[in-house]
Amino acid sequence: MNAPSSQGDCPTAGYSSSSPSGLRVQAVIFDVDGLMVDSEPLQTQAWDIYLEPFGHRIGPAEKALLLGRRVIESAAVLKSRLDLPGEPEAIVAARRPILFSLIREKLRPMPGLYDLTAACARLGLATAVASSSYADYVALVLRLTNLESRFAAVVTGDQVKSGKPDPEVFVRAADCLAVHPSRCLVLEDSPNGVLAAKRAGMWCAAINASPAAMRELSAADVIRPQLGDVIPDIVRWANRAE
C-alpha cells in the first residue's frame, strides 16, 4: 500500500448532511485515542505529571471536558479552568515529551484492533485515521502498533481548523479516500467523535464497554463493547444490496 496521504494532499472538504441509511459502506475511518490504542490513561497521566508543579491533577470533570478534543483545545480549557501560566501552545510543547515517553513505554493496542484492520482489508474497504491528536503523535502510535501501512490516509487535529464535534476531520478523511461521506463508517469512543461523525452524514459505530457511556453514545448507529465485536456489522454493511 502507498504511504498514507495527509490532509494537505486532499481536496477541500465539503460537508454532507445526507443520511447513510441503505447505502453500502466503502470506507472505515478510525479514531485513535481510546479506540485503536489504550492511550487515554497515558494522556491523563501526562497531564498529571505536567500539572503536578502547579498543584493540580486531572479529575473526572476535567476528563469529561477533554475527551475527544484537540490537544491545543485541551490546553486552553485547562489554562482557563486551573489558571495555568503560559499560552496553550507552550503548555502543549512542555507536555509533549512527557506524553511521548509514556507512549513509547506503555502503549498497548485495544483488543480486536488487528482482527478488525485485517477484516477491512479482506473486504476491500478503504481505511483512514482521523484523530484529534497531532500528526507526530499519531505517526508514533501507528509506528508502535505496526499499522503504518494499513491506512491510505491520515488526518490529524493540527491539520484542521475545528476539532470534534465539528465534522471537518472526518469529511477531510473521506475526501482523501475519494469516498462519499454517506458511504463511510466512523469508529469512535467519545461523544464528541460520535456527534462529529453523524454531522458528517456518516455511519458511526461507538466502541465502549462501559454501561455508563451508553446514553452519551446513543447517537451512534451501533454500540459495541470491543473492536472485534463490530466486524459482523461491517461485513453486513459492506455487503448491503442497493
Side-chain angles (χ1 to χ4, degrees):
M1 180 179 291
N2 295 331
S5 62
S6 68
Q7 174 267 338
D9 301 320
C10 304
T12 301
Y15 288 66
S16 169
S17 60
S18 59
S19 169
S21 179
L23 296 180
R24 182 183 299 127
V25 167
Q26 297 177 339
V28 180
I29 301 174
F30 289 67
D31 177 45
V32 175
D33 287 307
L35 188 285
M36 291 176 60
V37 290
D38 190 15
S39 54
E40 288 179 354
L42 305 181
Q43 293 276 2
T44 299
Q45 186 179 356
W47 278 121
D48 283 342
I49 293 171
Y50 172 78
L51 292 171
E52 185 177 7
F54 306 107
H56 297 295
R57 291 180 62 85
I58 296 294
E62 286 78 23
K63 284 184 183 179
L65 284 172
L66 303 187
L67 189 61
R69 289 182 183 268
R70 296 186 298 169
V71 65
I72 192 68
E73 295 167 342
S74 296
V77 167
L78 292 176
K79 173 180 171 60
S80 174
R81 188 176 179 88
L82 304 178
D83 195 25
L84 298 175
E87 294 304 311
E89 293 81 3
I91 294 172
V92 170
R95 175 181 173 268
R96 180 182 180 277
I98 301 170
L99 175 63
F100 276 43
S101 177
L102 291 170
I103 291 295
R104 291 189 182 98
E105 180 184 356
K106 298 182 178 181
L107 187 71
R108 297 292 182 270
M110 284 296 201
L113 174 62
Y114 296 111
D115 289 341
L116 177 54
T117 55
C120 290
R122 287 195 303 272
L123 291 165
L125 298 172
T127 53
V129 165
S131 172
S132 295
S133 295
Y134 279 9
D136 56 353
Y137 169 85
V138 172
L140 175 62
V141 168
L142 293 178
R143 185 165 67 251
L144 291 173
T145 54
N146 295 312
L147 289 174
E148 292 169 294
S149 65
R150 282 290 191 185
F151 298 98
V154 176
V155 183
T156 55
D158 50 337
Q159 298 169 339
V160 296
K161 294 180 180 178
S162 301
K164 304 170 188 176
D166 189 284
E168 182 183 2
V169 70
F170 291 134
V171 177
R172 287 190 179 276
D175 286 343
C176 288
L177 297 175
V179 176
H180 192 273
S182 63
R183 294 184 179 273
C184 294
L185 167 67
V186 171
L187 303 178
E188 262 288 353
D189 70 307
S190 73
N192 277 341
V194 170
L195 184 55
K198 299 314 294 181
R199 286 178 175 176
M202 298 179 178
W203 295 88
C204 184
I207 310 299
N208 197 307
S210 168
M214 294 299 180
R215 180 179 299 178
E216 294 180 337
L217 300 172
S218 61
D221 295 285
V222 296
I223 303 174
R224 300 290 182 249
Q226 295 186 342
L227 288 171
D229 298 321
V230 80
I231 293 174
D233 300 297
I234 294 176
V235 171
R236 184 172 70 254
W237 293 333
N239 292 312
R240 180 189 292 270
E242 296 182 0

